[in-house]
Amino acid sequence: MTTTFDDHDIRVALTDASLDAPRVDLWERIETDVIGLSRPRHPARQWLRSVAAVLTILLVGSGILAIFSLADDGTDRRAQQIESVPDLLLMNSWDPQTQRSSLRAYLPDSNGALTILDGVQADRRPVISPDGQQLIFTGWQQDGDTWTLRLWSFNSTTLATQWTTDVVSMPATPDGNIQNVAYSTTIAGNRVYVAWHAWDTPFPIPIRSIDRATGTAIGSWEIKVDEPEAALHASAPWLSTTADGNRLDVLTEVWDSGSTDTNRNRTAYFSFNLPDMHETRRVIQDESTPTDGRFSPWSAERVPNGRTLYAVNGGYYNDPMRVDFFDLDTGTVSNRVDLGFSTGFEISHQTAVSSDGRLLYVFDSISGKVATVDLIAQRLVGTANVDMSIVQEASRGSLLGRAWHSVSGLFVQNAIAKINFNGSMQFSADGSRLYAIGITGRDESPNGILVIETATWQVVEHWLPGQHPIALITGGNGRYLYAMTVAWANQGTSGMRIVDTTNGQEVVVSDELREAGDAFSTYSIAEIYRDTWGVSPAIAGVDPDDLSAPQRSDPFATMAVSVSTTTTTAGEPITIELRYLHPGTGNPITEDTDGVRFDEPGHVRAMMSKGNANGTEQTIVLARSEYGVYRGAAVPPSAGTWSIQVIAERDGEPSRYANRQNAVAVQPTLMGTDGKRYKLQVTTAETPPRAGTDTVVRVSIIDAETGSPLPAGVELTGGLPDEMDGSAILEQRAVTSNDLTAAGHGIYEGQFNFYATGRWTFSVNFPRDGLRTGAVTVGVIEVE
């Protein structure tokens, strides 16, 4: 029997091996050596090449730990293909006094920003040429009662203006504003292409080509549609070109005239050969196109192969969070990669891309998961959990620290509806750290910068606490990190904060600079290049050999919090336990455990609070009972759901936190006609219940001391209810309810659908002594 393997198999294996090193791509390192091994060869040569291939793979496997000491050579190759781009920031600023906007530039280590365009309104980034030497900025400029769409060409290094050209002029609206006309610009070969279109109007869509060197108009075209699509209305055009400049792709969304249902929006795609603008393909989807076959280009980015676009979508309620891929050769959605994140409520996600553009990292601030997607292979490489326990906060309410396996409640559930974090994460220059935005749990606001170690996926530092960044930008050599902040709930300030990544300290350049820049429209030239062409460019003055490779280090031991019981009655003691576990195996650590960072803390305490209410906190000291285990007793004083946060402190080190939301449900006792105390117990037919599926919930009356069922002939004082009103709450954000009817003596059942993962607090309300009891907490249902 002959065993065969192909290039794809080798590539998948090497990509898997590269997961934990964002700057390392093993496939690219040996691609020219192993590509085509599966093709027919002469027997002798084939045998020799097969042996070489096997040896190569064995060497890679045996040297897996050396992965993290290798530096990505993609930068060197790119440096041979393009000239370097400057380490420069561009920012749109609005002056409320002059009511004018401007484009400004900031060069690191300078003391201020230089205005390069004044009085121009734009909602798109500039586009950059494949060689990185030319920037084309598009925007509207007012001339009396007329608004003109203009293009400005700049040398990306000197920012000297090369030319300016007018595209189209339109009268102002009655109130003097711009008409609702959107535009898109791209560079292809020696030409610039620009398209524009008024939103919610029928075709055609105009396109104009302009000479890159002189700004002279070369040609004009219109995209037209015939019956039956002639009545279709379209949104803004979106242009994309291949790096060789031989093809122009145009995408837009279309809908029927007069339609206000966004679910009826679908994709229209047109492809043209350049420079003659000969149309080679058009795909206009109709209403029968399923939702998963539609693609919105507005948040799309380019895959390095130049033939594919991708966009991170979903994450709302039961809409799975995913990466959608659009094939520019066929004009259709080619694949959808499910990230495996929880689909309850909104997912506050952030994204970052490896320097070669191949690996996409998506971080979900709610579940703490980070997913890695191979954009070339269009597949999920893997997921990991980010350990937040090292994050130190002055207020327990922030809830930034948490246990490794906690999947609910620490971050605001609806953050994505308020803040656009997409694309805000950044890698350090050597790939060893990932900078992300933190979010507090109580006031639902961005809070500082999380420094995540990529070798172990754990937060190791927290910078700019109390500030509210919504976008992060790294400088060319990785020395400086720029955080674009906003004033949030009248706290903090808006503008730019510069952090020295070598020590985490803020660098104060000038008050003018700190207040410069719009948080939503400040970007680096390197970032523009990466988003336009799919790979990171070389940076002027930065030697790739000076960037050290990421080094693997041991992960912190996981902090796991548990309680002796999840349901009790008021006044009864419970035991709180903190146990340190091996992050890989989940086993308790011992003094002989290797490969884990653990130093016994000097002081461990727990804070127990009822719901989200202030002033209910109780502090409990946890004492060491054995190596890596700390315990303490607490008495919840009143009925309700109590959460627990454990803080481990050690001199000279930041505190670590572990949380257990809704750790214990405390019930009032119910008196029986036999004089004994009883309580309620909740169970589900499916254990554990799964999100989005129906399950039967059972509430039973049991003996508070023994847990035995309510005996026959015994009732509650005031009688047994005929039915109960059941309700479940997830993190004060969602409620699901239904009736529970009698299914036996002291037993009540009802069907519920828990539509999101997490810990749902279950309560009932029933008649007692002629009155409704109000919400009586029964317990916590964990939904997967």
Side-chain angles (χ1 to χ4, degrees), residues 568-723:
T568 187
T569 55
E572 294 293 327
I574 62 172
T575 300
I576 301 172
E577 179 185 274
L578 169 66
R579 184 179 293 268
Y580 286 91
L581 307 176
H582 190 290
T585 66
N587 297 325
I589 64 169
T590 66
E591 295 185 61
D592 297 328
T593 301
D594 295 324
V596 176
R597 277 187 267 182
F598 174 69
D599 292 313
E600 292 202 73
H603 183 66
V604 180
R605 56 192 168 93
M607 296 185 69
M608 186 171 63
S609 61
K610 184 177 177 180
N612 289 326
N614 291 316
T616 64
E617 293 88 351
Q618 292 195 2
T619 301
I620 304 99
V621 175
L622 305 188
R624 183 185 187 276
S625 60
E626 56 186 283
Y627 187 81
V629 179
Y630 299 82
R631 296 190 180 100
V635 179
S638 61
T641 305
W642 293 77
S643 297
I644 294 171
Q645 181 180 61
V646 174
I647 304 99
E649 300 169 325
R650 181 178 172 83
D651 290 342
E653 296 180 3
S655 298
R656 295 185 63 195
Y657 296 76
N659 298 273
R660 191 164 183 81
Q661 290 291 103
N662 303 330
V664 59
V666 180
Q667 300 180 17
T669 55
L670 307 172
M671 295 303 299
T673 54
D674 59 356
K676 293 184 178 180
R677 297 186 308 145
Y678 291 88
K679 65 180 182 179
L680 304 177
Q681 178 189 64
V682 62
T683 57
T684 58
E686 182 184 4
T687 306
R690 306 197 67 83
T693 61
D694 292 335
T695 187
V696 174
V697 174
R698 170 178 288 189
V699 174
S700 306
I701 301 174
I702 63 173
D703 189 297
E705 301 293 336
T706 66
S708 58
L710 181 71
V714 177
E715 296 188 356
L716 298 179
T717 302
L720 291 176
D722 295 328
E723 64 178 13

Side-chain angles (χ1 to χ4, degrees), residues 459-544:
V459 174
V460 292
E461 294 187 58
H462 185 209
W463 297 338
L464 296 183
Q467 292 293 331
H468 309 298
I470 61 171
L472 303 177
I473 304 169
T474 51
N477 61 3
R479 173 68 184 272
Y480 298 115
L481 179 69
Y482 306 96
M484 306 310 300
T485 65
V486 296
W488 198 270
N490 296 322
Q491 296 180 352
T493 55
S494 297
M496 181 191 295
R497 296 292 179 271
I498 305 175
V499 178
D500 188 330
T501 61
T502 63
N503 55 28
Q505 299 299 311
E506 181 180 357
V507 178
V508 180
V509 178
S510 66
D511 290 339
E512 176 194 9
L513 188 62
R514 293 188 77 189
E515 298 173 0
D518 186 311
F520 294 95
S521 54
T522 298
Y523 28 77
S524 68
I525 290 184
E527 191 174 35
I528 295 170
Y529 191 96
R530 182 188 62 205
D531 293 344
T532 303
W533 302 111
V535 295
S536 297
I539 308 297
V542 177
D543 186 347

Side-chain angles (χ1 to χ4, degrees), residues 230-364:
L232 287 177
H233 282 212
S235 63
W238 193 92
L239 304 185
S240 176
T241 55
T242 53
D244 59 13
N246 292 330
R247 193 178 77 189
L248 173 69
D249 299 301
V250 184
L251 285 89
T252 187
E253 287 185 317
V254 297
W255 53 88
D256 296 321
S257 176
S259 173
T260 58
D261 183 3
T262 56
N263 291 324
R264 300 178 69 181
N265 294 5
R266 54 253 194 212
T267 309
Y269 167 77
F270 309 87
S271 184
F272 303 88
N273 279 340
L274 298 178
D276 59 359
M277 279 295 287
H278 171 68
E279 183 176 313
T280 58
R281 182 180 296 274
R282 66 168 53 195
V283 178
I284 302 178
Q285 297 176 339
D286 57 32
E287 287 188 5
S288 64
T289 305
T291 302
D292 60 6
R294 305 176 187 183
F295 185 83
S296 178
W298 314 128
S299 60
E301 303 290 352
R302 179 189 296 272
V303 175
N305 62 15
R307 302 291 184 177
T308 312
L309 303 176
Y310 73 91
V312 181
N313 290 316
Y316 294 87
Y317 296 90
N318 289 320
D319 185 17
M321 193 166 190
R322 63 195 183 277
V323 180
D324 293 334
F325 291 90
F326 188 86
D327 187 340
L328 292 171
D329 288 330
T330 64
T332 60
V333 173
S334 60
N335 197 11
R336 308 185 98 195
V337 176
D338 189 345
L339 299 182
F341 291 168
S342 166
T343 55
F345 311 110
E346 299 91 349
I347 294 177
S348 180
H349 73 277
Q350 304 175 50
T351 62
V353 181
S354 59
S355 61
D356 62 0
R358 169 165 284 173
L359 296 179
L360 169 70
Y361 296 82
V362 184
F363 174 47
D364 170 24

